[in-house]
Amino acid sequence: MRYPIYRPRRLRANENIRRMVRETALSPDDLIMPFFVRPGRAVRKAISSMPGNYQLSVDELVKDARKAADLGVPAIILFGIPSKKDPAGTEGYKKNNIVARATKAIKDKVDDLVVITDVCLCEYTDHGHCGVVRKKKGGDFTIDNDATLELLAKMALSHVEAGADMVAPSDMMDGRIGALREALDGNGFSEIPIMAYAAKYASAFYGPFREAAESPPQFGDRRSYQMDPSNSDEVIREVALDIEEGADIVMVKPALPYLDIIFRVKQEFGYPVAAYNVSGEFSMVKAAAERDWVDEKKVALEMLMSIKRAGADMILTYCAMEAARWLA
Ligand code: PBG
C-alpha cells in the first residue's frame, strides 16, 4: 500500500497535536510501589543499592503507604524480611508474620490502597532458595516442588486473612497457582485475585533486590526454577498454564530487557499483564543520574512509557512514587 500524501511531521507540529495523536498514556493508575517491611519500631534502614528505598518497620511503612495513596498510586506490593531465617522459611507463614502484621496495619489506617503481598519462601529461608531444598550427595541439591506448594498456600492464606487484596506468588514452582487458588477458594477467599509471576526469568537484574530482601541464594542459583533468558516460546506455555490454573493477572519480569515478551503475552492472551521493572533496572538509572550522565526523570518516564507501550497494563516499579509526582 502507498500513502503518497502522508507527511508524518504534520502531526508533530505542536504540543496540542502531539497530545491528540498520542497512543500511549502513562498515569499513576498504572503503577504499583514495592515496599520492604521488617520487624521493629521506627526503623527506616536505607537500601544502599536502591537509593530512596528502605527496609521499614510497620509503623514507618504505614506512613509511606499513606504517601503512596496520596500521590494517587493505587496499589503497593509487600516483601517481608523476618527476624530469623530457617530451612523451611517458617517466619513467612506463621501466625502474625511480618507481612500479615504490615497488611493489617495498612488496611486499618490507609483507605483506598490495594495491598498485594509477595508469596515466596526466599526471604524467609536460611539457604535463600524459593522452595524447600533437598540436599544431594556432593553438594548438589534439588527443590522439593510439591512440599513447597503447601507452604506457599499457608503463606497466601495468612496474608489474605490479614486483609490483603491480592496475592502475588513469585516462586516459580510448578502448580503453585492451582494450589493457591484451591486454598483461597476453600477458605472463603474466592474473590481474591492472583497476580502470577508467570514469566520470571533467571536474571542478573535482581541483584539489588537480593540486598534489599537479604535473600541471595547461599549456594547454587535459581536456574532450575526460573526461566532461561534465551527462551520466548516457553513463556507462552508458562503463561497458559498459570491462566489455566486460575491466574487473574500475569506478570513478566524483568521488564525492560523483556519488552518483546510483554508484547507477546499481551497479544497472545489478552489478559491483564503486569511488568516488573526490577531493582537492577531501577538502580542503573539512579547510578547514572547521580553522575549526571542521564536526566533521571526523563529517562525513567521514557522507560515506563516503553513498558506500557509494549503491552503492560500495570508496572511494578521502585520509582512509582517519584513517577506519580512527576506525572501529577
Ligand atoms: C523472589 C523475588 C525476587 C524479586 C521479586 N521476588 C528475586 C529473585 O527471584 O531472586 C526481584 C525483584 C527485583 O529485583 O526488584 N521472591
Side-chain angles (χ1 to χ4, degrees):
M1 209 194 284
R2 288 181 58 218
Y3 305 94
I5 56 165
Y6 182 61
R7 301 205 47 181
R9 278 192 297 121
R10 286 183 196 138
L11 295 180
R12 297 176 196 147
N14 72 46
E15 177 56 18
N16 278 18
I17 297 178
R18 287 196 293 276
R19 272 168 53 202
M20 288 155 62
V21 298
R22 199 158 279 156
E23 297 171 36
T24 308
L26 185 66
S27 103
D29 293 347
D30 306 321
L31 307 175
I32 300 171
M33 178 72 195
F35 283 115
F36 299 95
V37 58
R38 64 173 305 142
R41 273 194 68 80
V43 180
R44 181 171 287 270
K45 191 173 167 220
I47 300 164
S48 63
S49 57
M50 298 172 67
N53 286 263
Y54 305 86
Q55 294 180 347
L56 302 167
S57 52
V58 173
D59 51 329
E60 291 293 315
L61 171 63
V62 168
K63 293 183 201 163
D64 284 21
R66 167 86 273 150
K67 268 186 220 152
D70 289 346
L71 286 164
V73 174
I76 63 173
I77 181 164
L78 297 180
F79 294 91
I81 299 149
S83 49
K84 67 176 199 315
K85 304 188 183 223
D86 63 25
T90 320
E91 296 252 331
Y93 43 87
K94 70 168 196 195
K95 222 177 148 32
N96 276 323
N97 60 68
I98 181 71
V99 169
R101 273 184 279 139
T103 300
K104 189 163 187 323
I106 295 168
K107 294 307 290 182
D108 280 351
K109 304 213 175 72
V110 188
D111 300 332
D112 297 333
L113 187 66
V114 165
V115 175
I116 307 170
T117 60
D118 180 76
V119 175
C120 188
L121 289 184
C122 68
E123 295 114 78
Y124 308 99
T125 52
D126 52 8
H127 45 70
H129 281 285
C130 304
V132 176
V133 165
R134 303 273 181 239
K135 290 228 169 132
K136 296 202 289 198
K137 276 199 204 103
D140 214 4
F141 71 98
T142 55
I143 303 288
D144 188 336
N145 191 89
D146 295 0
T148 307
L149 295 182
E150 256 175 66
L151 306 182
L152 295 169
K154 256 173 112 166
M155 186 182 297
L157 265 184
S158 75
H159 297 168
V160 297
E161 278 163 358
D165 300 290
M166 195 185 301
V167 288
S170 67
D171 52 282
M172 290 297 275
M173 297 301 123
D174 292 340
R176 72 211 201 283
I177 304 301
L180 256 55
R181 191 67 271 163
E182 204 182 301
L184 293 174
D185 290 352
N187 287 278
F189 296 107
S190 53
E191 301 302 314
I192 297 289
I194 299 177
M195 175 190 277
Y197 286 64
K200 180 170 177 183
Y201 283 90
S203 170
F205 285 88
Y206 306 147
F209 174 94
R210 292 182 186 170
E211 180 206 331
E214 301 176 2
S215 66
Q218 297 304 306
F219 48 84
D221 56 43
R222 301 204 211 285
R223 281 183 293 183
S224 77
Y225 46 99
Q226 298 184 349
M227 286 187 45
D228 182 338
S230 347
N231 295 352
S232 165
D233 290 344
E234 187 187 359
V235 143
I236 301 301
R237 302 195 294 271
E238 284 274 7
V239 174
L241 207 62
D242 281 0
I243 288 177
E244 207 174 286
E245 289 180 26
D248 301 282
I249 299 172
V250 289
M251 191 198 295
V252 175
K253 174 183 171 194
L256 289 170
Y258 299 90
L259 293 178
D260 58 322
I261 306 295
I262 295 173
F263 181 78
R264 227 183 135 181
V265 168
K266 187 63 182 175
Q267 296 287 310
E268 182 86 19
F269 297 97
Y271 253 62
V273 173
Y276 202 141
N277 177 224
V278 302
S279 56
E281 301 171 52
F282 167 84
S283 299
M284 290 193 305
V285 174
K286 283 283 174 197
E290 269 173 20
R291 289 165 173 74
D292 270 328
W293 288 349
V294 294
D295 179 325
E296 181 181 1
K297 173 179 163 182
K298 285 190 179 153
V299 164
L301 289 177
E302 188 175 330
M303 282 179 170
L304 295 175
M305 182 65 81
S306 75
I307 297 168
K308 225 178 143 218
R309 194 188 60 234
D313 299 285
M314 62 200 93
I315 307 169
L316 296 89
T317 178
Y318 301 96
C319 68
M321 290 164 72
E322 285 169 304
R325 211 172 283 124
W326 293 328
L327 291 167

